[in-house]
Short mmCIF file of all heavy atoms in Angstrom, two decimals:
data_model
loop_
_atom_site.label_atom_id
_atom_site.label_comp_id
_atom_site.label_asym_id
_atom_site.label_seq_id
_atom_site.Cartn_x
_atom_site.Cartn_y
_atom_site.Cartn_z
N MET D 1 10.68 -29.84 8.22
CA MET D 1 9.85 -28.77 7.63
C MET D 1 8.58 -29.37 7.04
O MET D 1 8.63 -30.30 6.25
CB MET D 1 10.62 -28.04 6.54
CG MET D 1 11.76 -27.18 7.08
SD MET D 1 11.38 -25.44 7.16
CE MET D 1 11.62 -24.95 5.43
N THR D 2 7.47 -28.84 7.42
CA THR D 2 6.21 -29.33 6.88
C THR D 2 5.78 -28.48 5.70
O THR D 2 5.91 -27.26 5.71
CB THR D 2 5.09 -29.32 7.95
OG1 THR D 2 5.04 -28.02 8.53
CG2 THR D 2 5.37 -30.35 9.01
N GLU D 3 5.26 -29.15 4.70
CA GLU D 3 4.80 -28.47 3.50
C GLU D 3 3.35 -28.04 3.70
O GLU D 3 2.53 -28.79 4.17
CB GLU D 3 4.90 -29.42 2.31
CG GLU D 3 4.87 -28.74 0.95
CD GLU D 3 6.18 -28.03 0.64
OE1 GLU D 3 7.22 -28.40 1.21
OE2 GLU D 3 6.14 -27.14 -0.20
N ARG D 4 3.06 -26.79 3.37
CA ARG D 4 1.67 -26.35 3.47
C ARG D 4 1.39 -25.38 2.33
O ARG D 4 2.31 -24.81 1.75
CB ARG D 4 1.40 -25.68 4.82
CG ARG D 4 2.17 -24.39 5.03
CD ARG D 4 1.95 -23.87 6.43
NE ARG D 4 2.71 -22.64 6.67
CZ ARG D 4 2.28 -21.42 6.39
NH1 ARG D 4 1.10 -21.24 5.86
NH2 ARG D 4 3.04 -20.37 6.64
N LYS D 5 0.10 -25.21 2.07
CA LYS D 5 -0.29 -24.25 1.04
C LYS D 5 0.10 -22.86 1.54
O LYS D 5 -0.30 -22.43 2.60
CB LYS D 5 -1.79 -24.32 0.79
CG LYS D 5 -2.22 -23.51 -0.42
CD LYS D 5 -3.72 -23.61 -0.62
CE LYS D 5 -4.10 -22.97 -1.95
NZ LYS D 5 -3.74 -21.52 -1.96
N SER D 6 0.92 -22.20 0.75
CA SER D 6 1.42 -20.93 1.23
C SER D 6 1.50 -19.94 0.09
O SER D 6 1.08 -20.19 -1.03
CB SER D 6 2.79 -21.12 1.87
OG SER D 6 3.69 -21.60 0.91
N ASN D 7 2.10 -18.83 0.38
CA ASN D 7 2.28 -17.80 -0.62
C ASN D 7 3.39 -18.20 -1.60
O ASN D 7 4.15 -19.14 -1.36
CB ASN D 7 2.59 -16.49 0.06
CG ASN D 7 1.39 -15.99 0.86
OD1 ASN D 7 0.37 -15.66 0.29
ND2 ASN D 7 1.51 -15.98 2.16
N CYS D 8 3.46 -17.44 -2.68
CA CYS D 8 4.35 -17.81 -3.78
C CYS D 8 5.82 -17.77 -3.40
O CYS D 8 6.63 -18.52 -3.95
CB CYS D 8 4.09 -16.91 -4.97
SG CYS D 8 4.14 -15.15 -4.55
N CYS D 9 6.18 -16.91 -2.49
CA CYS D 9 7.59 -16.80 -2.14
C CYS D 9 7.74 -16.32 -0.70
O CYS D 9 6.77 -15.93 -0.06
CB CYS D 9 8.32 -15.87 -3.10
SG CYS D 9 7.67 -14.18 -3.11
N GLU D 10 8.95 -16.36 -0.26
CA GLU D 10 9.23 -16.00 1.14
C GLU D 10 8.86 -14.55 1.44
O GLU D 10 8.35 -14.23 2.50
CB GLU D 10 10.72 -16.24 1.40
CG GLU D 10 11.06 -16.33 2.88
CD GLU D 10 12.52 -16.67 3.10
OE1 GLU D 10 13.07 -17.46 2.31
OE2 GLU D 10 13.10 -16.13 4.04
N MET D 11 9.13 -13.68 0.48
CA MET D 11 8.80 -12.27 0.68
C MET D 11 7.30 -12.07 0.88
O MET D 11 6.87 -11.34 1.76
CB MET D 11 9.29 -11.44 -0.51
CG MET D 11 10.79 -11.34 -0.62
SD MET D 11 11.56 -10.53 0.81
CE MET D 11 11.20 -8.81 0.44
N MET D 12 6.53 -12.72 0.02
CA MET D 12 5.08 -12.61 0.13
C MET D 12 4.60 -13.19 1.46
O MET D 12 3.71 -12.64 2.10
CB MET D 12 4.44 -13.35 -1.05
CG MET D 12 3.03 -12.92 -1.33
SD MET D 12 2.86 -11.14 -1.56
CE MET D 12 1.85 -11.11 -3.01
N GLU D 13 5.21 -14.27 1.84
CA GLU D 13 4.86 -14.89 3.12
C GLU D 13 5.09 -13.91 4.27
O GLU D 13 4.25 -13.74 5.15
CB GLU D 13 5.72 -16.16 3.30
CG GLU D 13 5.41 -16.96 4.55
CD GLU D 13 4.07 -17.66 4.46
OE1 GLU D 13 3.66 -18.04 3.35
OE2 GLU D 13 3.43 -17.82 5.52
N ILE D 14 6.22 -13.26 4.22
CA ILE D 14 6.57 -12.31 5.28
C ILE D 14 5.59 -11.14 5.30
O ILE D 14 5.06 -10.76 6.33
CB ILE D 14 8.02 -11.79 5.10
CG1 ILE D 14 9.01 -12.93 5.36
CG2 ILE D 14 8.29 -10.62 6.03
CD1 ILE D 14 10.43 -12.62 4.91
N PHE D 15 5.34 -10.59 4.11
CA PHE D 15 4.56 -9.36 4.06
C PHE D 15 3.06 -9.57 4.20
O PHE D 15 2.33 -8.63 4.49
CB PHE D 15 4.87 -8.59 2.77
CG PHE D 15 6.18 -7.85 2.86
CD1 PHE D 15 7.30 -8.33 2.22
CD2 PHE D 15 6.28 -6.68 3.59
CE1 PHE D 15 8.52 -7.66 2.32
CE2 PHE D 15 7.48 -6.00 3.70
CZ PHE D 15 8.60 -6.50 3.06
N THR D 16 2.59 -10.78 3.97
CA THR D 16 1.16 -11.02 4.16
C THR D 16 0.86 -11.53 5.56
O THR D 16 -0.28 -11.68 5.93
CB THR D 16 0.61 -12.04 3.13
OG1 THR D 16 1.40 -13.22 3.17
CG2 THR D 16 0.59 -11.44 1.74
N THR D 17 1.89 -11.79 6.31
CA THR D 17 1.69 -12.21 7.69
C THR D 17 1.84 -10.99 8.58
O THR D 17 2.93 -10.53 8.84
CB THR D 17 2.72 -13.29 8.08
OG1 THR D 17 2.67 -14.34 7.13
CG2 THR D 17 2.43 -13.85 9.45
N PHE D 18 0.71 -10.48 9.01
CA PHE D 18 0.75 -9.28 9.85
C PHE D 18 1.16 -9.67 11.25
O PHE D 18 0.52 -10.45 11.92
CB PHE D 18 -0.62 -8.59 9.86
CG PHE D 18 -0.64 -7.38 10.75
CD1 PHE D 18 0.13 -6.28 10.44
CD2 PHE D 18 -1.43 -7.35 11.89
CE1 PHE D 18 0.11 -5.15 11.25
CE2 PHE D 18 -1.45 -6.23 12.70
CZ PHE D 18 -0.68 -5.13 12.38
N ASN D 19 2.25 -9.11 11.68
CA ASN D 19 2.78 -9.47 12.99
C ASN D 19 3.50 -8.27 13.58
O ASN D 19 4.71 -8.15 13.49
CB ASN D 19 3.72 -10.67 12.84
CG ASN D 19 4.19 -11.17 14.20
OD1 ASN D 19 3.58 -10.87 15.22
ND2 ASN D 19 5.27 -11.92 14.19
N CYS D 20 2.73 -7.35 14.13
CA CYS D 20 3.32 -6.13 14.67
C CYS D 20 2.76 -5.87 16.06
O CYS D 20 1.56 -5.91 16.26
CB CYS D 20 3.02 -4.95 13.74
SG CYS D 20 3.74 -3.42 14.35
N ASP D 21 3.64 -5.61 16.97
CA ASP D 21 3.22 -5.35 18.35
C ASP D 21 2.73 -3.92 18.54
O ASP D 21 1.99 -3.63 19.46
CB ASP D 21 4.38 -5.60 19.31
CG ASP D 21 4.78 -7.06 19.34
OD1 ASP D 21 3.91 -7.91 19.05
OD2 ASP D 21 5.94 -7.35 19.64
N LEU D 22 3.16 -3.04 17.66
CA LEU D 22 2.88 -1.62 17.85
C LEU D 22 1.53 -1.20 17.28
O LEU D 22 0.92 -0.25 17.74
CB LEU D 22 3.98 -0.77 17.21
CG LEU D 22 5.39 -0.97 17.77
CD1 LEU D 22 6.39 -0.17 16.96
CD2 LEU D 22 5.45 -0.55 19.23
N HIS D 23 1.09 -1.91 16.24
CA HIS D 23 -0.14 -1.49 15.57
C HIS D 23 -1.17 -2.62 15.60
O HIS D 23 -0.85 -3.77 15.31
CB HIS D 23 0.15 -1.11 14.11
CG HIS D 23 1.22 -0.06 14.01
ND1 HIS D 23 2.54 -0.37 13.82
CD2 HIS D 23 1.14 1.29 14.06
CE1 HIS D 23 3.25 0.76 13.77
NE2 HIS D 23 2.42 1.78 13.92
N LYS D 24 -2.40 -2.25 15.94
CA LYS D 24 -3.46 -3.25 15.99
C LYS D 24 -3.97 -3.59 14.60
O LYS D 24 -4.40 -4.69 14.33
CB LYS D 24 -4.64 -2.74 16.84
CG LYS D 24 -4.34 -2.67 18.33
CD LYS D 24 -5.63 -2.36 19.10
CE LYS D 24 -5.37 -2.30 20.59
NZ LYS D 24 -4.58 -1.09 20.95
N ASP D 25 -3.93 -2.62 13.73
CA ASP D 25 -4.46 -2.78 12.38
C ASP D 25 -3.31 -2.73 11.39
O ASP D 25 -2.44 -1.88 11.49
CB ASP D 25 -5.44 -1.64 12.10
CG ASP D 25 -6.24 -1.86 10.84
OD1 ASP D 25 -5.66 -2.37 9.85
OD2 ASP D 25 -7.42 -1.52 10.83
N LYS D 26 -3.34 -3.64 10.43
CA LYS D 26 -2.23 -3.65 9.47
C LYS D 26 -2.19 -2.39 8.61
O LYS D 26 -1.14 -2.00 8.12
CB LYS D 26 -2.28 -4.89 8.57
CG LYS D 26 -3.53 -5.03 7.75
CD LYS D 26 -3.53 -6.38 7.08
CE LYS D 26 -4.93 -6.77 6.64
NZ LYS D 26 -5.00 -8.18 6.25
N TYR D 27 -3.34 -1.74 8.48
CA TYR D 27 -3.36 -0.50 7.71
C TYR D 27 -2.70 0.66 8.46
O TYR D 27 -2.37 1.67 7.89
CB TYR D 27 -4.80 -0.14 7.32
CG TYR D 27 -5.32 -1.00 6.21
CD1 TYR D 27 -6.07 -2.13 6.47
CD2 TYR D 27 -5.05 -0.68 4.88
CE1 TYR D 27 -6.54 -2.94 5.45
CE2 TYR D 27 -5.50 -1.48 3.85
CZ TYR D 27 -6.25 -2.61 4.14
OH TYR D 27 -6.70 -3.40 3.13
N GLU D 28 -2.55 0.47 9.75
CA GLU D 28 -1.88 1.50 10.55
C GLU D 28 -0.38 1.28 10.63
O GLU D 28 0.36 2.12 11.08
CB GLU D 28 -2.45 1.50 11.98
CG GLU D 28 -3.86 2.01 12.08
CD GLU D 28 -4.41 1.85 13.49
OE1 GLU D 28 -3.63 1.49 14.40
OE2 GLU D 28 -5.61 2.08 13.67
N CYS D 29 0.05 0.11 10.19
CA CYS D 29 1.45 -0.23 10.34
C CYS D 29 2.22 0.05 9.05
O CYS D 29 1.95 -0.56 8.03
CB CYS D 29 1.59 -1.69 10.73
SG CYS D 29 3.31 -2.16 10.94
N PRO D 30 3.15 0.98 9.09
CA PRO D 30 3.90 1.32 7.88
C PRO D 30 4.80 0.19 7.39
O PRO D 30 5.28 0.23 6.26
CB PRO D 30 4.72 2.54 8.30
CG PRO D 30 4.73 2.55 9.77
CD PRO D 30 3.54 1.80 10.24
N ASP D 31 5.02 -0.79 8.23
CA ASP D 31 5.86 -1.91 7.81
C ASP D 31 5.08 -2.96 7.02
O ASP D 31 5.67 -3.86 6.44
CB ASP D 31 6.47 -2.59 9.04
CG ASP D 31 7.47 -1.70 9.75
OD1 ASP D 31 8.10 -0.88 9.06
OD2 ASP D 31 7.60 -1.82 10.97
N THR D 32 3.77 -2.85 7.04
CA THR D 32 2.95 -3.83 6.34
C THR D 32 2.63 -3.32 4.94
O THR D 32 2.01 -2.28 4.79
CB THR D 32 1.65 -4.10 7.13
OG1 THR D 32 2.00 -4.49 8.45
CG2 THR D 32 0.85 -5.20 6.47
N LEU D 33 3.08 -4.06 3.94
CA LEU D 33 2.96 -3.59 2.56
C LEU D 33 1.81 -4.24 1.80
O LEU D 33 1.23 -3.65 0.90
CB LEU D 33 4.26 -3.87 1.80
CG LEU D 33 5.54 -3.22 2.36
CD1 LEU D 33 6.72 -3.59 1.48
CD2 LEU D 33 5.38 -1.72 2.43
N ILE D 34 1.51 -5.47 2.14
CA ILE D 34 0.56 -6.24 1.36
C ILE D 34 -0.62 -6.67 2.20
O ILE D 34 -0.46 -7.11 3.34
CB ILE D 34 1.24 -7.50 0.77
CG1 ILE D 34 2.47 -7.14 -0.06
CG2 ILE D 34 0.25 -8.32 -0.05
CD1 ILE D 34 2.17 -6.45 -1.37
N ASP D 35 -1.80 -6.52 1.64
CA ASP D 35 -2.99 -7.05 2.28
C ASP D 35 -3.48 -8.24 1.48
O ASP D 35 -3.66 -8.16 0.27
CB ASP D 35 -4.08 -5.96 2.32
CG ASP D 35 -5.35 -6.49 2.99
OD1 ASP D 35 -5.24 -7.35 3.88
OD2 ASP D 35 -6.43 -6.02 2.61
N HIS D 36 -3.68 -9.34 2.15
CA HIS D 36 -4.23 -10.51 1.48
C HIS D 36 -5.64 -10.73 2.02
O HIS D 36 -5.83 -11.05 3.19
CB HIS D 36 -3.35 -11.74 1.75
CG HIS D 36 -3.88 -12.98 1.10
ND1 HIS D 36 -3.66 -14.24 1.62
CD2 HIS D 36 -4.63 -13.16 -0.02
CE1 HIS D 36 -4.24 -15.14 0.84
NE2 HIS D 36 -4.83 -14.52 -0.16
N ASN D 37 -6.61 -10.53 1.16
CA ASN D 37 -8.00 -10.77 1.53
C ASN D 37 -8.28 -12.26 1.38
O ASN D 37 -8.35 -12.79 0.27
CB ASN D 37 -8.93 -9.96 0.62
CG ASN D 37 -10.38 -10.05 1.09
OD1 ASN D 37 -10.83 -11.10 1.57
ND2 ASN D 37 -11.09 -8.96 0.96
N THR D 38 -8.40 -12.93 2.51
CA THR D 38 -8.54 -14.39 2.46
C THR D 38 -9.91 -14.82 1.94
O THR D 38 -10.08 -15.94 1.49
CB THR D 38 -8.31 -15.00 3.85
OG1 THR D 38 -9.09 -14.30 4.81
CG2 THR D 38 -6.84 -14.92 4.24
N GLU D 39 -10.90 -13.91 1.99
CA GLU D 39 -12.22 -14.27 1.50
C GLU D 39 -12.27 -14.26 -0.03
O GLU D 39 -12.76 -15.18 -0.66
CB GLU D 39 -13.28 -13.32 2.06
CG GLU D 39 -13.66 -13.68 3.50
CD GLU D 39 -14.54 -12.61 4.13
OE1 GLU D 39 -15.32 -11.99 3.40
OE2 GLU D 39 -14.42 -12.42 5.35
N SER D 40 -11.75 -13.21 -0.61
CA SER D 40 -11.78 -13.09 -2.06
C SER D 40 -10.47 -13.56 -2.69
O SER D 40 -10.36 -13.67 -3.89
CB SER D 40 -12.06 -11.65 -2.47
OG SER D 40 -11.04 -10.80 -1.95
N ASP D 41 -9.47 -13.84 -1.84
CA ASP D 41 -8.14 -14.24 -2.28
C ASP D 41 -7.48 -13.18 -3.16
O ASP D 41 -6.77 -13.48 -4.10
CB ASP D 41 -8.20 -15.60 -3.01
CG ASP D 41 -6.86 -16.32 -2.95
OD1 ASP D 41 -6.12 -16.13 -1.97
OD2 ASP D 41 -6.54 -17.06 -3.90
N ASP D 42 -7.80 -11.94 -2.85
CA ASP D 42 -7.18 -10.83 -3.57
C ASP D 42 -5.99 -10.29 -2.79
O ASP D 42 -6.01 -10.24 -1.56
CB ASP D 42 -8.19 -9.69 -3.75
CG ASP D 42 -9.22 -10.00 -4.80
OD1 ASP D 42 -8.93 -10.83 -5.69
OD2 ASP D 42 -10.31 -9.42 -4.74
N TYR D 43 -5.00 -9.88 -3.53
CA TYR D 43 -3.85 -9.24 -2.91
C TYR D 43 -3.84 -7.78 -3.29
O TYR D 43 -4.15 -7.42 -4.43
CB TYR D 43 -2.55 -9.87 -3.41
CG TYR D 43 -2.30 -11.28 -2.90
CD1 TYR D 43 -2.86 -12.37 -3.54
CD2 TYR D 43 -1.47 -11.49 -1.80
CE1 TYR D 43 -2.62 -13.66 -3.09
CE2 TYR D 43 -1.22 -12.78 -1.35
CZ TYR D 43 -1.80 -13.86 -2.00
OH TYR D 43 -1.55 -15.13 -1.54
N SER D 44 -3.49 -6.92 -2.36
CA SER D 44 -3.34 -5.51 -2.71
C SER D 44 -2.19 -4.89 -1.93
O SER D 44 -1.82 -5.36 -0.85
CB SER D 44 -4.64 -4.75 -2.46
OG SER D 44 -5.15 -5.03 -1.18
N ILE D 45 -1.64 -3.86 -2.53
CA ILE D 45 -0.60 -3.10 -1.88
C ILE D 45 -1.26 -2.00 -1.07
O ILE D 45 -2.06 -1.21 -1.59
CB ILE D 45 0.38 -2.49 -2.92
CG1 ILE D 45 1.14 -3.61 -3.63
CG2 ILE D 45 1.33 -1.51 -2.25
CD1 ILE D 45 2.04 -3.12 -4.75
N ILE D 46 -0.96 -1.96 0.19
CA ILE D 46 -1.59 -1.00 1.08
C ILE D 46 -1.02 0.39 0.86
O ILE D 46 0.20 0.57 0.80
CB ILE D 46 -1.40 -1.41 2.56
CG1 ILE D 46 -2.12 -2.74 2.83
CG2 ILE D 46 -1.89 -0.32 3.50
CD1 ILE D 46 -1.83 -3.32 4.21
N ILE D 47 -1.91 1.36 0.71
CA ILE D 47 -1.49 2.75 0.62
C ILE D 47 -1.68 3.37 2.00
O ILE D 47 -2.81 3.46 2.49
CB ILE D 47 -2.32 3.52 -0.43
CG1 ILE D 47 -2.22 2.83 -1.80
CG2 ILE D 47 -1.88 4.97 -0.51
CD1 ILE D 47 -3.26 3.31 -2.79
N HIS D 48 -0.60 3.77 2.59
CA HIS D 48 -0.69 4.29 3.96
C HIS D 48 -1.04 5.77 3.95
O HIS D 48 -0.19 6.63 4.13
CB HIS D 48 0.63 4.03 4.69
CG HIS D 48 0.84 2.57 4.97
ND1 HIS D 48 0.14 1.89 5.95
CD2 HIS D 48 1.63 1.65 4.39
CE1 HIS D 48 0.52 0.63 5.97
NE2 HIS D 48 1.42 0.44 5.03
N ASP D 49 -2.31 6.03 3.69
CA ASP D 49 -2.79 7.42 3.67
C ASP D 49 -3.73 7.68 4.83
O ASP D 49 -4.46 8.64 4.86
CB ASP D 49 -3.48 7.71 2.33
CG ASP D 49 -4.68 6.81 2.11
OD1 ASP D 49 -4.93 5.92 2.94
OD2 ASP D 49 -5.39 7.01 1.11
N GLY D 50 -3.71 6.78 5.80
CA GLY D 50 -4.57 6.94 6.95
C GLY D 50 -5.89 6.19 6.82
O GLY D 50 -6.62 6.02 7.79
N GLY D 51 -6.18 5.75 5.61
CA GLY D 51 -7.40 4.99 5.38
C GLY D 51 -7.10 3.53 5.17
O GLY D 51 -6.07 3.02 5.61
N THR D 52 -7.99 2.87 4.49
CA THR D 52 -7.80 1.44 4.24
C THR D 52 -7.77 1.18 2.73
O THR D 52 -8.30 0.19 2.25
CB THR D 52 -8.92 0.61 4.89
OG1 THR D 52 -10.18 1.05 4.40
CG2 THR D 52 -8.89 0.72 6.39
N SER D 53 -7.14 2.08 2.00
CA SER D 53 -7.09 1.90 0.56
C SER D 53 -5.87 1.09 0.14
O SER D 53 -4.86 1.03 0.83
CB SER D 53 -7.09 3.25 -0.15
OG SER D 53 -6.13 4.10 0.45
N GLY D 54 -6.01 0.45 -1.00
CA GLY D 54 -4.91 -0.33 -1.53
C GLY D 54 -5.07 -0.51 -3.02
O GLY D 54 -6.16 -0.33 -3.56
N ILE D 55 -3.99 -0.85 -3.67
CA ILE D 55 -4.02 -1.12 -5.09
C ILE D 55 -3.97 -2.62 -5.30
O ILE D 55 -3.06 -3.29 -4.82
CB ILE D 55 -2.81 -0.47 -5.80
CG1 ILE D 55 -2.82 1.03 -5.60
CG2 ILE D 55 -2.82 -0.82 -7.29
CD1 ILE D 55 -1.54 1.71 -6.08
N GLU D 56 -4.99 -3.13 -5.97
CA GLU D 56 -5.02 -4.57 -6.19
C GLU D 56 -3.90 -4.98 -7.14
O GLU D 56 -3.64 -4.32 -8.14
CB GLU D 56 -6.37 -4.96 -6.79
CG GLU D 56 -6.62 -6.46 -6.70
CD GLU D 56 -7.97 -6.85 -7.30
OE1 GLU D 56 -8.96 -6.15 -7.05
OE2 GLU D 56 -8.00 -7.86 -8.02
N ILE D 57 -3.25 -6.06 -6.81
CA ILE D 57 -2.18 -6.56 -7.67
C ILE D 57 -2.50 -7.98 -8.11
O ILE D 57 -3.09 -8.76 -7.38
CB ILE D 57 -0.80 -6.53 -6.95
CG1 ILE D 57 -0.86 -7.24 -5.60
CG2 ILE D 57 -0.30 -5.10 -6.80
CD1 ILE D 57 0.50 -7.41 -4.94
N ASN D 58 -2.12 -8.28 -9.33
CA ASN D 58 -2.38 -9.61 -9.89
C ASN D 58 -1.13 -10.46 -9.97
O ASN D 58 -1.21 -11.66 -10.21
CB ASN D 58 -3.00 -9.47 -11.28
CG ASN D 58 -4.36 -8.79 -11.22
OD1 ASN D 58 -5.19 -9.12 -10.39
ND2 ASN D 58 -4.57 -7.81 -12.08
N PHE D 59 0.00 -9.84 -9.79
CA PHE D 59 1.26 -10.57 -9.83
C PHE D 59 2.09 -10.20 -8.61
O PHE D 59 2.06 -9.06 -8.15
CB PHE D 59 2.04 -10.24 -11.11
CG PHE D 59 1.36 -10.71 -12.35
CD1 PHE D 59 0.49 -9.88 -13.03
CD2 PHE D 59 1.58 -12.00 -12.85
CE1 PHE D 59 -0.17 -10.31 -14.18
CE2 PHE D 59 0.94 -12.44 -13.99
CZ PHE D 59 0.06 -11.60 -14.66
N CYS D 60 2.83 -11.16 -8.15
CA CYS D 60 3.70 -10.90 -7.00
C CYS D 60 4.79 -9.91 -7.40
O CYS D 60 5.46 -10.11 -8.40
CB CYS D 60 4.32 -12.21 -6.53
SG CYS D 60 5.57 -11.97 -5.26
N PRO D 61 4.95 -8.83 -6.62
CA PRO D 61 5.99 -7.84 -6.96
C PRO D 61 7.41 -8.36 -6.76
O PRO D 61 8.35 -7.76 -7.26
CB PRO D 61 5.70 -6.68 -6.00
CG PRO D 61 4.83 -7.24 -4.92
CD PRO D 61 4.15 -8.45 -5.46
N TRP D 62 7.55 -9.48 -6.08
CA TRP D 62 8.90 -10.00 -5.82
C TRP D 62 9.31 -11.11 -6.77
O TRP D 62 10.40 -11.11 -7.29
CB TRP D 62 9.01 -10.47 -4.36
CG TRP D 62 8.92 -9.32 -3.41
CD1 TRP D 62 9.91 -8.43 -3.14
CD2 TRP D 62 7.80 -8.92 -2.65
NE1 TRP D 62 9.45 -7.49 -2.25
CE2 TRP D 62 8.16 -7.78 -1.93
CE3 TRP D 62 6.50 -9.43 -2.51
CZ2 TRP D 62 7.28 -7.12 -1.08
CZ3 TRP D 62 5.63 -8.79 -1.66
CH2 TRP D 62 6.01 -7.63 -0.95
N CYS D 63 8.41 -12.06 -6.98
CA CYS D 63 8.81 -13.20 -7.81
C CYS D 63 8.04 -13.28 -9.12
O CYS D 63 8.38 -14.06 -10.00
CB CYS D 63 8.67 -14.51 -7.03
SG CYS D 63 6.98 -15.04 -6.79
N GLY D 64 6.99 -12.44 -9.28
CA GLY D 64 6.28 -12.38 -10.54
C GLY D 64 5.22 -13.45 -10.75
O GLY D 64 4.62 -13.51 -11.81
N THR D 65 4.98 -14.26 -9.75
CA THR D 65 3.97 -15.30 -9.87
C THR D 65 2.58 -14.68 -9.93
O THR D 65 2.29 -13.72 -9.20
CB THR D 65 4.05 -16.25 -8.66
OG1 THR D 65 5.33 -16.87 -8.66
CG2 THR D 65 2.97 -17.31 -8.70
N LYS D 66 1.73 -15.22 -10.80
CA LYS D 66 0.35 -14.74 -10.86
C LYS D 66 -0.34 -15.12 -9.56
O LYS D 66 -0.25 -16.26 -9.11
CB LYS D 66 -0.39 -15.36 -12.05
CG LYS D 66 -1.71 -14.67 -12.31
CD LYS D 66 -2.34 -15.16 -13.61
CE LYS D 66 -3.50 -14.27 -14.02
NZ LYS D 66 -4.44 -13.92 -12.93
N LEU D 67 -1.02 -14.15 -8.98
CA LEU D 67 -1.65 -14.38 -7.68
C LEU D 67 -3.07 -14.88 -7.82
O LEU D 67 -3.71 -14.67 -8.81
CB LEU D 67 -1.63 -13.08 -6.86
CG LEU D 67 -0.23 -12.52 -6.61
CD1 LEU D 67 -0.34 -11.13 -5.98
CD2 LEU D 67 0.56 -13.43 -5.70
ZN1 ZN U 1 6.11 -14.20 -4.82
ZN1 ZN U 2 3.73 -1.66 12.98
#
């Protein structure tokens, strides 16, 4: 196993890695909960209302680590 800079926990790793065959955009995929903006390093919870809105979060909802 190689060590690399990653997300705080396995859950965050899973949910910030968009990997869906059915949807081209993570905002269209109901299985995708978290958006990680790699430019600003902001995390947000995606609101699936048909748009691209999300609620910015400062702490991981699973392990509580400050993001
Ligand atoms: Zn976490
Ligand atoms: Zn999907």
Side-chain angles (χ1 to χ4, degrees):
M1 289 258 281
T2 52
E3 198 75 23
R4 66 185 178 87
K5 189 180 188 299
S6 62
N7 293 294
C8 52
C9 60
E10 198 176 324
M11 291 299 282
M12 201 54 134
E13 184 71 32
I14 291 167
F15 282 103
T16 53
T17 307
F18 178 65
N19 185 18
C20 180
D21 294 334
L22 299 175
H23 305 94
K24 289 189 180 70
D25 191 322
K26 60 188 161 192
Y27 285 95
E28 290 174 8
C29 181
D31 293 330
T32 305
L33 301 180
I34 304 290
D35 180 31
H36 180 209
N37 187 324
T38 49
E39 281 171 33
S40 60
D41 204 30
D42 286 335
Y43 289 84
S44 49
I45 294 175
I46 296 172
I47 303 166
H48 290 286
D49 61 356
T52 57
S53 48
I55 300 171
E56 196 180 317
I57 52 172
N58 296 314
F59 294 91
C60 173
W62 292 284
C63 74
T65 299
K66 192 172 192 314
L67 301 171

